Amino acid sequence: MAMSIPCYASLGTKLQDPLNYSNYNGVEKVKSIIKKTVIPSVSSSPVESLQQGNWVKLICGASFEDLVDIRNLSLVYTLAGVDCIDCAAEASVVNAVNEGIEAARALVPIRRPWVMISVNDDEDLHFRKAEFDPDDCPQDCLRPCEKVCPANAILQKGGVLAERCYGCGRCLPVCPYDKIRAITYVRDVIATAELLERDDVDAIEIHTSGREPSVFKELWTGLGNSTANLKLVAVSFPDLRDSTISAMNAMYSIMESSIHCVNLWQLDGRPMSGDIGRGATRDAIAFARKLASAGDKPKGFLQLAGGTNGHTVEGLKKERLFQTTTIHEASRNEKIPSTLHSPYALIAGVAFGGYARKIVGRVLSSVQSHHGLARVEDFPEQLLQAIIESLALVGTVKCYNIQKQIT
């Protein structure tokens, strides 16, 4: 079992000045795009999105703790209409997510996405940090680690910026001197239970290998009554081949008696690979195809992650796993079926992580490189760019038609 160690404190600064948008013409452009895309008027509740097959979750990263980035990402993707924002199980990170959500809702009266915290029951790729001593690096090293890091977490002539590292591991094999190591940790169950009792945390996701029911049970039992008021319980696990369904049933039997909300199974195809390209989507689609066709799986919604990007919905459509109605058609239905399965799609939704952060991160990095730690809404033209990028991605699932709104 992985050692439980304290998680890293973020160097980010909370940005809590009073919001004042009256002097920014660019913000009006942002409001116009959101209103023309009719996101506020057609946004279903998160559970309805699951039932309609157009659920979208933003994954900030189970180990990502850059507070300013998280706050700005949450603002942008709230405006884009995501149903859930998944973040590290740290109070400061949860605060940053909620601050971003409320800043977005101050701009446009949009419904609040659920806030989810991610924990692990044992060693997991999502719960680790890279580490090395920069003084131990040869002076002539070309530092390929810097080039491959998708989070810009490796400082020039420095070590790893812990709050930005989210454990993708791409730096480990490229170090020519084998100087980089991975530090793993397990989130503390008592601290997690305390977070779940907050009224601004709506959901939990448990990352598990699925191979050790005993450690899963230990975590679930340790959470106790803290899960009683949640809106969603999710379990994230990899493709276990022939043992996948039996592992799902074992985990569900552990949770069943104390679940008082909907549950979701996150199919983690290729963890933290969505920003690599089209090829990264194949494993996620294959995993989805296998689970969707299985008849003996436990109840609960199925959602893709791991390798998800702008090509994911295209792949789902080819396999006939995606919704057959648009969000506009679905929103006109008088009654949403009270079921734990989607009547519109075999796959209820998609979670976007590394790719979602990458496309918006280009804009956020530009803001910070010129202005330091800053609220993205204080720079409306950059906010507009970020909104266009996020709408294009979320729109693949939500079926927005934004092209005519931005031309």
Side-chain angles (χ1 to χ4, degrees), residues 135-207:
D135 294 332
D136 199 27
C137 294
Q139 291 187 353
D140 60 349
C141 181
L142 297 177
R143 297 179 66 81
C145 56
E146 287 184 31
K147 299 180 177 66
V148 300
C149 179
N152 297 320
I154 299 178
L155 301 174
Q156 186 177 16
K157 297 182 180 180
V160 178
L161 196 59
E163 68 268 22
R164 291 200 59 84
C165 176
Y166 56 82
C168 73
R170 296 179 203 175
C171 60
L172 298 174
V174 303
C175 177
Y177 302 101
D178 197 27
K179 298 289 187 182
I180 306 176
R181 55 195 172 275
I183 307 298
T184 62
Y185 62 96
V186 175
R187 292 288 182 187
D188 180 74
V189 67
I190 296 175
T192 298
E194 291 175 354
L195 280 177
L196 293 180
E197 292 172 354
R198 291 174 45 154
D199 59 7
D200 56 2
V201 174
D202 307 287
I204 188 172
E205 182 163 272
I206 300 173
H207 289 255

Side-chain angles (χ1 to χ4, degrees), residues 39-71:
I39 296 173
S41 63
V42 303
S43 287
S44 53
S45 71
V47 72
E48 288 172 338
S49 294
L50 286 167
Q51 292 165 335
Q52 294 168 3
N54 54 47
W55 157 276
V56 180
K57 182 177 80 169
L58 167 68
I59 303 173
C60 290
S63 294
F64 190 63
E65 297 168 344
D66 186 309
L67 299 186
V68 176
D69 247 18
I70 289 167
R71 184 257 187 207

Side-chain angles (χ1 to χ4, degrees), residues 24-273:
Y24 301 122
N25 292 330
V27 168
E28 295 306 314
K29 296 180 183 178
V30 172
K31 292 181 180 179
S32 176
I33 283 184
I34 300 300
K35 290 176 181 177
K36 286 181 180 178
T37 312
V38 292
I39 296 173
S41 63
V42 303
S43 287
S44 53
S45 71
V47 72
E48 288 172 338
S49 294
L50 286 167
Q51 292 165 335
Q52 294 168 3
N54 54 47
W55 157 276
V56 180
K57 182 177 80 169
L58 167 68
I59 303 173
C60 290
S63 294
F64 190 63
E65 297 168 344
D66 186 309
L67 299 186
V68 176
D69 247 18
I70 289 167
R71 184 257 187 207
N72 287 334
L73 281 166
S74 299
L75 183 156
V76 169
Y77 278 98
T78 295
L79 291 176
V82 298
D83 298 285
C84 182
I85 299 176
D86 181 4
C87 68
E90 269 292 303
S92 59
V93 173
V94 172
N95 292 341
V97 170
N98 279 292
E99 186 178 330
I101 290 172
E102 293 311 312
R105 298 179 72 205
L107 279 169
V108 177
I110 193 168
R111 65 103 168 90
R112 179 182 181 273
W114 288 346
V115 175
M116 170 185 284
I117 59 172
S118 275
V119 298
N120 54 327
D121 63 0
D122 205 346
E123 286 193 13
D124 186 280
L125 295 177
H126 302 84
F127 297 83
R128 63 180 183 176
K129 300 280 187 181
E131 182 180 272
F132 67 90
D133 183 355
D135 294 332
D136 199 27
C137 294
Q139 291 187 353
D140 60 349
C141 181
L142 297 177
R143 297 179 66 81
C145 56
E146 287 184 31
K147 299 180 177 66
V148 300
C149 179
N152 297 320
I154 299 178
L155 301 174
Q156 186 177 16
K157 297 182 180 180
V160 178
L161 196 59
E163 68 268 22
R164 291 200 59 84
C165 176
Y166 56 82
C168 73
R170 296 179 203 175
C171 60
L172 298 174
V174 303
C175 177
Y177 302 101
D178 197 27
K179 298 289 187 182
I180 306 176
R181 55 195 172 275
I183 307 298
T184 62
Y185 62 96
V186 175
R187 292 288 182 187
D188 180 74
V189 67
I190 296 175
T192 298
E194 291 175 354
L195 280 177
L196 293 180
E197 292 172 354
R198 291 174 45 154
D199 59 7
D200 56 2
V201 174
D202 307 287
I204 188 172
E205 182 163 272
I206 300 173
H207 289 255
T208 181
S209 69
R211 296 185 176 89
E212 296 290 341
S214 60
V215 295
F216 184 88
K217 184 176 182 179
E218 182 180 353
L219 170 59
W220 183 256
T221 303
L223 293 174
N225 294 329
S226 66
T227 62
N229 296 319
L230 294 180
K231 299 179 177 70
L232 176 71
V233 170
V235 177
S236 177
F237 58 97
D239 188 352
L240 301 175
R241 309 301 178 186
D242 293 340
S243 61
T244 299
I245 300 301
S246 61
M248 290 174 67
N249 282 307
M251 289 184 286
Y252 188 74
S253 67
I254 291 169
M255 300 186 297
E256 185 175 12
S257 63
S258 52
I259 286 185
H260 307 287
C261 57
V262 295
N263 73 295
L264 178 149
W265 303 98
Q266 177 166 287
L267 315 182
D268 202 9
R270 285 178 57 184
M272 297 178 284
S273 66

